[in-house]
Amino acid sequence: MRRLAPSFLLLVLLIAAAPAVPAGAAGPCLEVDPAAPDTAVLAANVIVLGKVVRVADGPQIVPEAFLKGTVTRQAVHLPAEPRDLADCAPAELPAEARVLAFLAVADGTPAWPGSGAVFILQDGQAARVDGKTQTMSERELVERIRALTGQLAAPPAEDESAAGIDWTGTIVPVGGLLLGVFAIGLVLMRVWHRIDPS
């Protein structure tokens, strides 16, 4: 028993020293602290800035920009009603409101966010839906998140065509340059052959 005591004590110390997962740091019940959003940024699968639009099968967020996640022009569809939010209150998503939402995604479907994971953006200010944090300027909040994710990508507009080959600006000049180098090489080879026919 004496031999096991040090091992048991070490095990208890390791468990006590292990970092605890902050409350609301996983799933749809994120608690975003605008002053220090790093934990929520890591936990969220998608961070989208956009406008809420109501449709028959549930609200959508029409994206203006993505601060984390795959950039798409398509609206982010949320479930018709909040579910799987036993640990927190669901966020209210007023129609036509501009929001910054931290979303958890399971099986390719975004979950309805908790009230601590959505900011209403109005008049250049960002206020968390549950009102439990101080209002911050929209620009400052976006910059803090962007500093962590390294992303601020706007989806392409509908009238923008996909990236293609620029024939007049790239292919023709580079092709002409290569032909010129090839021609110079042939001339130099011919001159060298006259100097030293062997």
Side-chain angles (χ1 to χ4, degrees):
M1 188 67 171
R2 286 183 195 171
R3 290 182 185 175
L4 292 176
S7 298
F8 181 72
L9 181 62
L10 180 62
L11 179 64
V12 170
L13 289 173
L14 286 174
I15 291 172
V21 176
C29 290
L30 295 170
E31 293 285 333
V32 183
D33 178 3
D38 37 351
T39 302
V41 166
L42 287 172
N45 301 106
V46 173
I47 303 174
V48 61
L49 187 155
K51 187 164 87 169
V52 177
V53 176
R54 294 282 178 181
V55 292
D57 59 345
Q60 299 177 349
I61 300 175
V62 178
E64 292 177 23
F66 286 87
L67 285 95
K68 184 177 181 182
T70 304
V71 179
T72 176
R73 185 170 52 198
Q74 297 174 344
V76 178
H77 294 271
L78 297 174
E81 56 186 44
R83 57 180 182 264
D84 301 329
L85 291 171
D87 299 334
C88 63
E92 290 184 28
L93 299 170
E96 302 302 314
R98 286 182 70 242
V99 297
L100 177 63
F102 289 67
L103 303 174
V105 178
D107 300 324
T109 305
W112 192 291
S115 59
V118 177
F119 292 82
I120 300 289
L121 308 175
Q122 190 173 13
D123 299 326
Q125 298 296 308
R128 207 166 84 176
V129 169
D130 61 5
K132 293 183 179 177
T133 61
Q134 291 185 343
T135 302
M136 175 182 282
S137 79
E138 175 185 336
R139 181 183 180 125
E140 186 178 355
L141 179 59
V142 168
E143 286 302 321
R144 286 185 183 190
I145 297 166
R146 185 182 183 191
L148 296 167
T149 64
Q151 178 179 337
L152 179 60
E158 290 184 22
D159 57 350
E160 286 183 23
S161 60
I165 297 173
D166 181 8
W167 284 94
T168 57
T170 305
I171 301 299
V172 172
V174 171
L177 181 66
L178 289 174
L179 283 174
V181 169
F182 183 69
I184 292 170
L186 285 176
V187 169
L188 290 175
M189 188 172 69
R190 200 161 184 193
V191 168
W192 180 255
H193 188 64
R194 284 185 186 165
I195 294 171
D196 184 9
S198 63

